[in-house]
């Protein structure tokens, strides 16, 4: 059946409400999506702006290099010292041997380590033969004295008779000559006796000077003579010295009379001393010389012991650095110095005395440089840094 022409069918109210609700939801979703896109874009623009501003700052800081603390050490008065090492030896080593003809040793009266006085008997040699010779010479002296007395008596009688003209003047002259000859024979006999007594006395081996017996090479029963060499060695007055090997560059600053402190291996306490001699020769191979440092008397000091010493040479102006500023060690010690261009450069230095206040620099710095206090181990030679100048107490 056909619908009449000109009539329109209107939808119901429920149908119209349904269509209206569906259209409103689609538009809201579109609007929300647009707002979200705008917000995301604004956020991205904001963060990209901050990142762009931070990047140049970070690049600038990286280009300036790390921040390091530096200070200018200047120069401070310090007592220059030279460290030395060597062996202990007797200051005067005296060999003692047989002075006379020698013979068999009958007694040795001292031993190594004994202190002896000047003239003390160290050993006795058999004197039986010399005693017999001495007895003969004493008898000869007595005989010559008797001859001289007889000659004098005859001269006296002749002098009394000449006044009575019983004898001539010639007889008196002969008796005078006889008397003078007899007196001369007495002098000869006495001289021979004294020589024999001296030779007999030399059979006692005596100490030429007071001191410490360092070595004994003789025993009772041994036959000795002038060819036997030294029977004893004595350290005169017991004086000992450190014979120290010193580098050529340090040797020029040493002079006799300079004070020193000596430390012996195994001895907790140090000994005072002073430089007694600087030997003139330098070893052409090792480039070292020898300084002799006298050790103040102590009977515990023995020759041959290893010892170290510190010699006070003079008061000088030297830079003083904290230990953290000095890197390496020995002959390879170095510091980092920051120039006006803020570039850290490695500077070799020669380290002197290490004290509680710091490290004395003997050579390599003038004291006007900007020295890196610490963190030098993390720097590279030629690296650009940001120096931060540190003053006095802040540095410690």
């Amino acid at each position: 059946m056909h619908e009449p022409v000109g009539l329109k069918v209107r939808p119901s109210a429920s149908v119209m409400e349904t269509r209206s609700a569906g259209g409103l939801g689609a538009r809201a979703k579109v609007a929300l999506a647009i707002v979200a896109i705008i917000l995301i874009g604004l956020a991205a623009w904001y963060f990209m702006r901050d990142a762009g501003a931070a990047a140049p700052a970070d690049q600038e800081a990286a280009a300036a290099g790390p921040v390091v603390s530096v200070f200018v050490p200047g120069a401070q008065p310090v007592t220059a010292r030279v460290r030395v090492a060597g062996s202990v030896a007797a200051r005067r080593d005296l060999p003692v041997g047989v002075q006379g003809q020698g013979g068999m040793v009958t007694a040795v009266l001292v031993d190594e380590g004994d202190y002896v006085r000047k003239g003390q008997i160290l050993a006795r040699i058999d004197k039986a033969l010399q005693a017999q010779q001495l007895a003969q010479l004493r008898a000869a002296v007595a005989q010559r004295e008797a001859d001289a007395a007889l000659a004098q008596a005859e001269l006296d009688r002749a002098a009394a008779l000449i006044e009575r003209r019983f004898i001539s003047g010639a007889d008196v002259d002969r008796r005078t000559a006889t008397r003078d000859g007899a007196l001369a024979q007495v002098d000869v006999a006495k001289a021979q006796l004294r020589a024999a007594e001296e030779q007999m006395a030399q059979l006692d081996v005596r100490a030429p000077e007071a001191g410490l017996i360092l070595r004994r090479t003789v025993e009772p029963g041994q036959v000795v003579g002038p060819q036997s060499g030294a029977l004893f060695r004595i350290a005169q007055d017991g004086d000992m010295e450190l014979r120290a090997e010193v580098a050529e560059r340090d040797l020029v600053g040493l002079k006799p009379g300079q004070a020193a402190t000596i430390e012996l291996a195994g001895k907790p306490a140090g000994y005072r001393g002073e430089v007694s001699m600087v030997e003139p020769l330098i070893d052409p191979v090792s480039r070292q010389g020898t300084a002799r440092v006298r050790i103040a008397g102590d009977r515990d000091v023995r020759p041959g012991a290893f010892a170290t010493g510190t010699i006070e040479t003079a008061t000088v102006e030297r830079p003083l650095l904290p230990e953290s500023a000095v890197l390496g060690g020995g002959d390879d010690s170095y510091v980092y110095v920051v120039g006006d261009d803020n570039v850290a450069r490695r500077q070799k230095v020669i380290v002197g005395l290490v004290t509680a206040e710091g490290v004395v620099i003997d050579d390599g710095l003038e004291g006007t440089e900007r020295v890196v206090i610490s963190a030098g181990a993390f720097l590279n030679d030629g690296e650009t840094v940001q120096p931060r100048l540190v003053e006095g107490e802040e540095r410690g």
Side-chain angles (χ1 to χ4, degrees):
M1 188 173 185
H2 295 285
E3 185 179 338
V5 177
L7 292 176
K8 295 183 180 178
V9 180
R10 298 182 65 183
S12 66
S14 61
V15 173
M16 291 180 66
E17 288 175 0
T18 301
R19 289 178 180 175
S20 178
L24 179 60
R27 286 195 297 273
K29 290 179 179 180
V30 171
L32 288 174
I34 292 173
V35 171
I37 293 171
I38 291 173
L39 291 175
I40 293 172
L42 289 173
W45 172 81
Y46 178 79
F47 286 113
M48 289 178 65
R49 182 196 65 177
D50 288 348
D58 292 342
Q59 292 173 1
E60 182 179 353
V67 177
V68 296
S69 298
V70 299
F71 81 110
V72 179
Q76 302 183 28
V78 296
T79 301
R81 294 177 172 88
V82 176
R83 293 284 296 173
V84 297
S87 297
V88 176
R91 188 163 177 262
R92 294 285 183 270
D93 190 342
L94 306 178
V96 183
V98 177
Q99 293 180 298
Q101 296 177 350
M104 186 180 70
V105 177
T106 58
V108 179
L109 306 179
V110 296
D111 208 345
E112 295 170 342
D114 291 343
Y115 275 81
V116 297
R117 64 184 181 277
K118 182 177 181 179
Q120 180 177 335
I121 298 175
L122 308 180
R124 296 185 186 277
I125 298 175
D126 181 44
K127 303 176 181 178
L129 177 60
Q130 287 77 9
Q132 295 298 323
Q133 293 175 345
L134 211 59
Q136 292 178 359
L137 291 172
R138 289 195 180 100
V141 169
Q143 181 180 355
R144 296 291 184 265
E145 288 177 339
D147 292 342
L150 177 59
Q152 182 65 50
E154 290 180 352
L155 178 60
D156 293 341
R157 286 194 295 271
L161 293 175
I162 197 173
E163 294 178 358
R164 301 177 185 179
R165 299 183 182 276
F166 289 145
I167 61 174
S168 65
D171 291 333
V172 173
D173 292 339
R174 282 193 295 271
R175 286 179 171 80
T176 302
T178 301
R179 190 274 317 269
D180 293 342
L183 292 176
Q185 290 296 321
V186 171
D187 292 338
V188 170
K190 287 183 177 181
Q192 291 174 343
L193 176 61
R194 286 193 297 270
E197 289 173 341
E198 289 292 332
Q199 290 177 354
M200 189 170 181
Q202 289 175 355
L203 293 177
D204 291 330
V205 181
R206 296 176 180 270
E209 298 289 342
L212 171 67
I213 301 294
L214 299 178
R215 181 176 299 173
R216 160 188 160 177
T217 59
V218 62
E219 298 294 337
Q222 183 176 342
V223 177
V224 296
Q227 73 282 356
S228 300
L231 306 182
F232 302 90
R233 301 196 75 87
I234 296 178
Q236 183 176 350
D237 298 325
D239 287 345
M240 299 295 166
E241 66 182 9
L242 168 61
R243 296 186 180 178
E245 299 298 321
V246 184
E248 182 179 7
R249 62 182 174 83
D250 295 329
L251 202 64
V252 295
L254 301 186
K255 295 178 177 60
Q258 292 172 335
T261 302
I262 310 299
E263 296 179 358
L264 298 178
K267 300 280 185 182
Y271 297 87
R272 296 298 299 171
E274 68 174 26
V275 178
S276 59
M277 177 187 295
V278 180
E279 295 187 359
L281 297 179
I282 295 177
D283 191 301
V285 177
S286 65
R287 311 308 305 174
Q288 290 185 325
T290 301
R292 297 188 178 187
V293 183
R294 183 176 181 177
I295 304 174
D298 191 304
R299 295 194 174 188
D300 290 336
V301 180
R302 290 292 183 264
F306 176 78
T308 59
T310 302
I311 302 173
E312 300 175 0
T313 57
T315 299
V316 294
E317 300 285 333
R318 292 284 188 271
L320 187 66
L321 306 183
E323 292 189 31
S324 60
V326 182
L327 305 174
D331 294 335
D332 296 325
S333 298
Y334 64 93
V335 299
Y336 274 101
V337 174
V338 179
D340 295 336
D341 55 359
N342 291 345
V343 174
R345 292 184 173 83
R346 179 169 165 162
Q347 177 67 43
K348 182 177 180 180
V349 295
I350 295 177
V351 174
L353 186 67
V354 179
T355 68
E357 291 76 22
V359 180
V360 177
I361 303 301
D362 284 344
D363 196 13
L365 291 179
E366 296 294 332
T368 57
E369 303 88 348
R370 293 188 297 175
V371 180
V372 176
I373 297 177
S374 60
F378 302 101
L379 294 178
N380 295 315
D381 192 17
E383 182 177 354
T384 301
V385 298
Q386 299 181 63
R388 183 177 70 88
L389 188 62
V390 175
E391 301 292 344
E393 296 181 358
E394 184 182 359
R395 185 194 327 154

